[in-house]
Amino acid sequence: KLMSKVLISGGGRCNVLHDTNEPLNKILNSYPRGSRELNGLFSKHFTPEDAREWFEGRGVVLKTESDGRMFPITDTSQTIIDCIYNDAMKNGVVVKSGNKVVEVQID
């Protein structure tokens, strides 16, 4: 099922980010699995602030919990799924399940 991992992440609430007011090294330490990979992504391509602004720019209101995890204020991962899916459809993404990706073309 499309985005099934997102649906179950964060206990069904989808912890989208870690507190974007924190310095990058503290944010990376919040992701014990994959922090090295995220470092390149966060520092070169799409920062945590960019991600927060992307979601908020599409109407997703985020909240920061006391441990720094950020969730949609709705407390449901469906909010994140709907946001990503709707933006993909708006931008002409074609979703095909059960197919192997062999090439990605950017126009």
Side-chain angles (χ1 to χ4, degrees):
K1 184 179 173 190
L2 189 62
M3 291 192 264
S4 59
K5 294 282 187 177
V6 175
L7 186 63
I8 63 171
S9 69
R13 298 190 304 149
C14 190
N15 47 315
V16 180
L17 296 163
H18 198 79
D19 189 351
T20 56
N21 293 315
E22 297 291 345
L24 183 57
N25 66 335
K26 185 170 182 182
I27 292 171
L28 291 171
N29 288 335
S30 300
Y31 296 94
R33 296 180 308 260
S35 63
R36 185 175 67 238
E37 294 83 358
L38 287 173
N39 186 35
L41 173 68
F42 283 169
S43 59
K44 296 176 187 169
H45 301 290
F46 199 70
T47 68
E49 294 86 5
D50 292 335
R52 179 183 42 80
E53 290 171 7
W54 189 88
F55 282 107
E56 289 177 346
R58 286 153 182 80
V60 176
V61 179
L62 299 172
K63 64 178 179 175
T64 305
E65 297 198 343
S66 61
D67 62 0
R69 294 178 302 159
M70 295 181 75
F71 293 91
I73 201 159
T74 59
D75 278 331
T76 175
S77 56
Q78 192 64 48
T79 300
I80 301 303
I81 292 169
D82 292 344
C83 175
I84 294 169
Y85 183 82
N86 292 338
D87 200 65
M89 294 301 102
K90 176 182 156 192
N91 286 287
V93 172
V94 177
V95 177
K96 294 183 177 182
S97 60
N99 293 283
K100 181 179 178 181
V101 175
V102 293
E103 182 181 12
V104 176
Q105 295 180 349
I106 301 173
D107 296 331

